Amino acid sequence: MRACVPLIVAMLCSLAWAEDPNEPEPFLELEEETEAPSSHLYSAPSSCRDRCQEAFDRHQPCHCDARCPEFGNCCKDFESLCGHEGFSYSSDAITKEELQSISEKIYRADTNKAQKEDVIINSQNRISPSETRDQVDCCPEPLFTYVNEKLFSKPTYAAFINLLNNYQRATGRGEHFSAQQLAEQDAFLREVMKTAVMKELYAFLHHQNRYSSEQEFVSDLKNMWFGLYSRGNGEEDSSGFEHVFSGEVKKGKVTGFHNWIRFYMQEKEGLVDYYSHIYDGPWDSYPDVLAMQFNWDGYYKEVGSAFIGSSPEFEFALYSLCFIARPGKVCQLSLGGYPLAIQTYTWDKSTYGNGKKYIATAYVVSSTQ
């Protein structure tokens, strides 16, 4: 194993990226979901059934992505199966510039975020991407030196925290929500929808013909984030919310777990041991971004990217925006003048409604320094 050595040089990355020099530089982020079987293993390749909004795949005989009407290569049942969602017409396509504009509005609207004095982190040693598999604890101190827990009494924080103990992290063990837990999901959605952040997001998506009413929007958020599906053994053992915000363990590895509040609370209880980081974002105020390595009660996370100091509604809004606008693709945003990209993945083995996909995962994949 390599020794822990702080790095002061720019981080190197082995991932391929767009040639545009204005694109944010990616940092390594590994997610087991990237290996999930593609939806065309579960549906006829000549049909759009269970394929609406899927990423373009040149090997398919016909297509169901948002731009197939523009190129004239849609499957014959595209309009009947996908057109009603309003997501798939080129006239309704959301541009990169529109994504950057709405993400800046969401960034400015996050009045519930932590102030600089509310959260103090100690990022300590930085390693290279080539060292992330070594599982060496390079940081003797906790990541969080101080958090003003008065933040957690704010309605959206409190509603978010109430959800975190509703899951068992091991995949393959079915989740069963009590009436109280279902009520907590509704309470969280109700509280976030009161915020300027989510009002900005809904207004944007409504204008883009994605949703005709706020009720429709909230119903879809509940399904895509809290709807249960199976990651193992056929049990309904997972959801987008559990994976992204609470974290899971599958095949001896941590998957998901992309939330700073969850990390802080688990670290405070002695269940998380912060090892190192490979990236620290350019923002001089919150929210910031950190890509880190850690041990979660005996299980290792090779690279876990997370916003730091953001409100729950801010993360929920950005991930939802990217999943709706760029499902299964890199979503290029702008926060405080800095580019940032988020990757989402759809869960393709099962659907809800008329072929809509659940969120498999969502996380920050790149920014710039």
Side-chain angles (χ1 to χ4, degrees), residues 283-348:
W283 295 272
D284 58 7
S285 62
Y286 294 121
D288 201 351
V289 174
L290 194 71
M292 53 194 164
Q293 294 68 52
F294 59 91
N295 185 294
W296 184 25
D297 197 23
Y299 299 95
Y300 184 63
K301 179 71 173 180
E302 189 170 326
V303 182
S305 60
F307 288 104
I308 305 293
S310 56
S311 69
E313 61 265 28
F314 174 83
E315 294 180 59
F316 194 68
L318 286 192
Y319 291 147
S320 298
L321 168 66
C322 286
F323 185 75
I324 293 166
R326 299 286 189 272
K329 299 179 181 180
V330 172
C331 175
Q332 296 171 11
L333 309 177
S334 178
L335 301 181
Y338 292 101
L340 175 136
I342 287 174
Q343 173 75 58
T344 66
Y345 287 97
T346 59
W347 187 257
D348 293 335

Side-chain angles (χ1 to χ4, degrees), residues 24-231:
E25 181 183 0
F27 53 76
L28 184 65
E29 173 74 46
L30 300 178
E31 282 290 320
E32 189 226 351
E33 280 64 39
T34 61
E35 301 172 6
S38 182
S39 59
H40 39 87
L41 295 178
Y42 301 92
S43 58
S46 60
S47 170
C48 281
R49 183 168 301 280
D50 295 336
R51 292 176 55 201
C52 294
Q53 309 170 52
E54 74 173 5
F56 175 79
D57 182 348
R58 63 185 178 86
H59 299 292
Q60 290 280 32
C62 62
H63 304 281
C64 308
D65 59 288
R67 300 189 66 186
C68 73
E70 181 180 346
F71 291 99
N73 56 11
C74 300
C75 297
K76 291 182 178 180
D77 56 6
F78 169 79
E79 186 170 349
S80 62
L81 292 179
C82 307
H84 67 282
E85 296 178 346
F87 289 14
S88 303
Y89 294 114
S90 58
S91 61
D92 288 336
I94 297 174
T95 67
K96 174 183 172 182
E97 291 72 24
E98 287 170 329
L99 285 173
Q100 291 174 330
S101 176
I102 184 58
S103 57
E104 286 287 4
K105 289 181 179 179
I106 289 170
Y107 178 77
R108 292 192 296 270
D110 189 16
T111 57
N112 278 338
K113 67 182 179 181
Q115 301 303 308
K116 292 181 73 172
E117 64 272 15
D118 289 327
V119 177
I120 300 173
I121 65 170
N122 181 12
S123 56
Q124 302 166 79
N125 284 331
R126 179 173 170 176
I127 65 173
S128 70
S130 64
E131 296 176 286
T132 59
R133 295 183 179 180
D134 292 348
Q135 302 191 32
V136 178
D137 187 353
C138 298
C139 300
E141 301 297 327
L143 173 62
F144 287 94
T145 300
Y146 170 77
V147 172
N148 179 4
E149 294 192 7
K150 290 182 180 179
L151 285 170
F152 300 161
S153 64
K154 293 185 176 185
T156 56
Y157 285 78
F160 175 81
I161 290 169
N162 283 342
L163 295 170
L164 296 177
N165 64 357
N166 292 350
Y167 303 98
Q168 46 190 347
R169 67 179 184 177
T171 59
R173 299 173 60 186
E175 301 285 1
H176 304 282
F177 297 129
S178 67
Q180 175 63 32
Q181 290 170 335
L182 291 171
E184 288 172 353
Q185 295 173 7
D186 291 333
F188 172 73
L189 291 170
R190 187 165 56 249
E191 291 300 334
V192 297
M193 288 305 299
K194 295 176 183 177
T195 67
V197 162
M198 292 298 288
K199 290 184 183 300
E200 286 281 4
L201 176 60
Y202 170 69
F204 172 76
L205 294 173
H206 178 68
H207 178 73
Q208 295 286 339
N209 299 319
R210 294 303 197 266
Y211 299 98
S212 60
S213 69
E214 187 172 306
Q215 181 180 5
E216 180 190 3
F217 178 49
V218 173
S219 177
D220 200 34
L221 288 173
K222 184 171 184 178
N223 280 308
M224 72 172 69
W225 279 105
F226 294 104
L228 293 173
Y229 48 79
S230 175
R231 288 185 191 266

